[in-house]
Amino acid sequence: MASVVGFIRRFLDKPGSIDLSPFERIVAEAGELEDEVRGRPRRDRRAGLRPDTVGTAEFCAVVREAARRTLGQRPFDVQLVGVLAMLNGHVVQMATGEGKTLAGALTAAGFALRGKRVHAVSVNDYLARRDAEWMAPLYEALGLTVGWIAETSSPEERREAYSRDVTYAAVSELGFDVLRDRLRTDPADLVVPTPQVALVDEADSVLVDEARVPLVLAGAADPGAAVPEMAALVRRLSRGYHYKIDEEGRNVFLTAKGTDTVEKALGIDLYHDPGMVTEVNLALHAHALLTRDVDYIVRDGRVHLINPSRGRVAILQRWPDGLQAAVEAKEKLPASETGEILDSLTIQGLLRRYPEICGMTGTAVAVGEQLREFYDLRVAVIPPNKPCVRLDEPDRIYATAEDKERALLDEIAAQHATGRPILIGTLDVAESEHLDELLRTRGLRPVVLNAKNDAEEAAIIAGAGARGTITVSTQMAGRGTDIRLGGQAVPDTNGATPDGQAVPEQDGDAAAREREVADLGGLYVIGTGRHDSSRLDDQLRGRAGRQGDPGGSVFFVSGEDALLTAYVPDESPPPADPADPDGVVRHKRAAELIAHAQRVAEGVNLEIHRNTWRYTRLLEQQRAQLLERRDRVLHGDTAADALREACPDRYRELSEAVGEDLVKRAARQIVLFHLDRCWTEHLGYLADLREGIHLRALGRLNPLDEFNREAVPAYRSLLDEVERRSKETFETADITRDLADQGLKRPTATWTYLVQDNPFGSEWDRILQRVSGALKRRNRGT
């Protein structure tokens, strides 16, 4: 029966329905070669590995032996099946603990042996460095080179890392290197080579979650400015009386009473002063919608944004300047520099540059349709090496947040009393710290992992399987470290392990510790609430039960959780069971409502992804044309030829005075500057256009069609403006002096903006409302 179902799924091309049998046959043949390959002398281990043998049984047998000799790890058959699937351009779904890191390295080696340059794309710097260093002996044994890139890497270090056969890098670092290369004025300064193969770790997180927020490169301009008095003013306003927040929790606006209060405090007619309206709205948005230790943290006297999909600090990321300054004023911090957007790049635009893409993750099937829609990628589900025996309990649902919190604490205390290790997944930094305080009042000593101490995450997660350990962590996606039962406990701030014992100097009998924890039931994962995406819930569950280990998981949910109040605000959860004093909700409709709220949230996020791509598709085409033109200027004499034709007398005069080489160099600098300057202005124009384009719908016009209709002639006028400005500068500039001193000054620093919904009601907000409302109405009608 299972084979019939599989055939039907493959016929319908459902996510995860790829037939693995051809790969399994190759791996079986590799098993027959294993003894012979193992007997080969060390110097001959690459014998027979040619580009055309990659993906064959010989390849599988040789790389398996190389991994065994260099890393002490013999790849399982299922890992090799995953390698072959990725070499064939698929995204593989492999459960947590099944060895994705090694499978990825073997895949990268295969592509590199074919002569392809491989970029192993990760979700953060730590994993990029760890995996590159960990897998380095394997690559070396196969005659390959490996490098990695971090946020702190210098241009020289980046260039060196990209010269290797395999380069590990966070997706953001890769994207910003591409953006910075687009501003280079000397070919020798280019960093990123021609893209060939992208191998994406945590593929669903990178390709789907990260794709909702474009990478935006900004350049330093002037000191920022926000009025501290405005922050103090809005701090005195009351929600519901002076201002209201929409049902999606994404926009805030003054009531009539709030407007009167603000006008009296400022002594102005508010809506006759557009600049002041903006200042008030920014301050109100920062006050009402952005929460410290949820959306951002304050560390070292600066505001650091938290990446919502990974729970980590977003390095060099900030809100658009007015909002950034408003948050800094709210926290009574000095304003940082402002800037202007120089260029932007979507994750799709970044990765679709690669002729070949593949990837791996623990939760790919859930986003299989999106991977196919946006990247033309199929999902291959790799079975586990050992069956998963983890016990996943139904959600424990409570009427109120207070009831949930009390039950959660009781459950943690009861499980801890048995010595069973517990991993608690929270939704944000504030919740993790609040739970830490509550547990300590009960005499428990949890270890906390959140954006404030993510540098310690490897040690904390590695120790989460030790007897008696309580680990409280924010978002688990991409943590990248296996939790081994009986692992070494991490000391708390007092230098003691969670059970009060000093950390031993010797590791002791690891096998005995593992058996002891297994007998207790293995790692117990507790979620303090459902995430916006079921994939994140599955990733949290997946921390337990690795490689056939025992384990368990459960989620605690209340009718007051943000998931329900934000996405199904019109739906009332069933009441608690009258016979249960603990506030437990047992009605089956409660679980259905939670699942529905999660589907609404996923639908909203999908529409954001789609909308990002719809509005950037034309922009990507224009950017590609512009970059082709820019490359001709950067690598040749195109600029000089154009200016010689446009200004023949000036060109001849300068060539005779200073020599043609200097003239060509100056011409290149002038045209590149104006090309980049006009592109920046074009992006600003399109941003303004998109902000108001939704109003065209009132005239029964399609906003997207109207956006494209106006963007095309704007791009043509950009090219004309580049020529006009270049000619004007060439006619008047003194090319023997620094051109930057004559108005051609470039930014001295860059950073990334966090591009989200416009705080005052953009097209994004209306999409969210439409999708959410439509899904709610559809649910009520069924």
Side-chain angles (χ1 to χ4, degrees), residues 416-438:
H416 178 68
T418 69
R420 188 177 187 182
I422 306 168
L423 173 65
I424 306 159
T426 63
L427 301 179
D428 53 56
V429 174
E431 186 182 21
S432 69
E433 295 184 339
H434 176 63
L435 183 57
D436 176 48
E437 293 175 2
L438 294 176

Side-chain angles (χ1 to χ4, degrees), residues 224-239:
V227 182
E229 292 78 15
M230 202 68 75
L233 171 60
V234 300
R235 202 176 288 123
R236 301 199 301 267
L237 303 182
S238 300
R239 178 175 178 175

